[in-house]
Amino acid sequence: MNKPINRALPVLLGAFLFSIIFWQEKLGVNTLLFGTFISAAIFYLYPGSLRSRAVAWLLLGQLACLAMVLLHNTLLSKIGFAVTLTLMAVFAEYKHRSPWFATGSLLTSILFFPASLLETMQGSRQRPARKSNSRFFILIRLSLLPLLLAAAFFLIYFSANKVFQDMTTHLLYYLNYAWLFLAAYLSWQWLLLLLLGLLICTIILLKSKTAYFSKKDQSMKDDLQRTRRTLARRMRQPVFSLMETVMGRLARGPLALKYAHSMGAFSLALLNILLLVVNSIDIRFLWLNQARNQEIPLYQQLHEGTGLLTLSILLAMLVLLCFFRGNLNFYSKNGWLKFGAYCWILQNGLLTASVFLRDYDYIQQYGLTYKRLGVLFFLLMVLTGLLTVLVKIAQKKTSYFLFRVNAWAAVVVLVAACGINWDQWIARYNLQHRDRVPLDLVFLLNLSDKTLPLLHQYKDALVERQAELDRGQPASALITLGNSPAYLIQQLEQREQQFLQKQQQFSWLSWNYADAAVRNYLLAGNTVLPLQKP
């Protein structure tokens, strides 16, 4: 008979480990220690999860994010580590296929974590009480006389032997020092951190008895199946209610599929014509016009295009999910409906390329920012969505398949994005192209400390640029927001001093390569770091 697993011990050990290694520290080596412990605890509590492919891939993604925390220590890498670790735990505890349903199970664990913790603690104490108590009292009775004898002889040796007395004094001194060191951690802030660690470990390591989302996930299918539905069942569906409102009695009867197909094909034809006009305008004035359309500001062009793209994609998803629902996918004469859907997907891909071109032009003229990079990631997810919609229609997949694949794609994009230090890329691009990109000093100074070597490296160049502007040189590289390089130098020196002061407060638990490289640069005479070019 297998020995029952003690589930309370990993939770308590994880909580104490969390409170010790993260106390007054930033994320660094301690993240590696905590992630390793949690992963080992998950596989100890749920050994069957080692055979899951999803858990294996999430473990690989977690290790990649951990490596990026130690290398770049960016906010995105920390978010990626938290997401992959949490998903790996949920997929190990429950049977899931979709990150969406796994998120539901995670929310269930958060909601019922007090019950899970209490049940685990009570379960760990379910042992024969009388037997354990008898052993405890036996141990006390048998130890009483030896302890009294040892104490008596200790006092004798302490008084008679000077060397033994000195050794005892030193031992008491170190014990007192250890107690004072431990007492420094026993504060309200540390106790709150301990409770936070207990909360996190309980949510991650203990699963709730409520497996609603897991069962729901397992019942979902990727492939559509043709089913015979009664009128009563169809009337309970929101899509049927909408169709009946629009089509009236035509939504019922043996010709309902034919009428639904005709309405869907006509709708997609109109939407394709409308989008064709928009794409034609983009091709004429954006793709083929080398000078671009300067009458409309690029900022307006970018955000109008993004808004139109968002609305178009959401509308495409809604319409396609509405018309390609259920048995309409198996309608033998739905060729025109599929043709219209394919054309619409293709045109949305063209619209995506147009928005990418707008974003590219905007970066060329005004430099890199978080929002402009975010537009690129959004476009990548849009292309993924369009491809999955295409697969759904062509291979008769369910909406569950559509959302599941896109959720996994978002996880992959997140892990891949953690591999780049975006602050360094932004700062380096804007500084290297300062002859044509206006420098926003406030934005540059608000970037992370990893950009301090770059800002320091280009400090003299900014002073020279200001001198050129004072001599009447072309103002295409005007430094915006009324901030002079003198202001940059002053703020930069303050940030360097603050960074070095903060680093002195951290121990080896907070070590990461990015901070260590900046610190070495600032302390080594401002030697230029070998940073990777974008």
Side-chain angles (χ1 to χ4, degrees), residues 322-356:
C322 179
F323 288 114
F324 285 91
R325 75 189 193 285
N327 293 335
L328 189 59
N329 292 271
F330 302 96
Y331 183 56
S332 59
K333 299 180 180 180
N334 63 355
W336 283 108
L337 184 63
K338 285 188 174 182
F339 178 76
Y342 295 153
C343 290
W344 202 11
I345 292 174
L346 180 61
Q347 288 208 78
N348 276 281
L350 183 61
L351 183 60
T352 303
S354 298
V355 175
F356 170 80

Side-chain angles (χ1 to χ4, degrees), residues 11 18 34 38-39 41-42 45-46 81-82 85-94 106 109-110 113 197-207:
V11 174
F18 182 89
F34 185 72
I38 292 296
S39 300
I42 290 173
L45 295 175
Y46 310 99
F81 164 73
L85 176 63
T86 306
L87 285 178
M88 185 188 73
V90 176
F91 273 83
E93 296 164 3
Y94 304 91
L106 175 63
S109 298
I110 295 175
F113 88 91
L198 183 62
L199 171 63
I200 293 176
C201 293
T202 302
I203 293 174
I204 293 180
L205 296 179
L206 300 181
K207 69 175 183 178

Side-chain angles (χ1 to χ4, degrees), residues 1 37 40 70 95 98 100 151 155 183 195 201 203 229 309 368-369 374 378 415 418 431 486 508 523:
M1 183 176 181
F37 174 84
L70 294 177
K95 292 183 179 180
S98 170
W100 291 110
L155 293 176
L195 292 177
C201 293
I203 293 174
R229 299 179 180 178
L309 174 62
L368 278 174
T369 62
F378 171 76
V415 174
C418 294
L431 290 171
W508 62 273
L523 296 177

Side-chain angles (χ1 to χ4, degrees), residues 415-427:
V415 174
C418 294
I420 299 177
N421 192 331
W422 296 106
D423 281 12
Q424 285 188 359
W425 273 55
I426 292 173

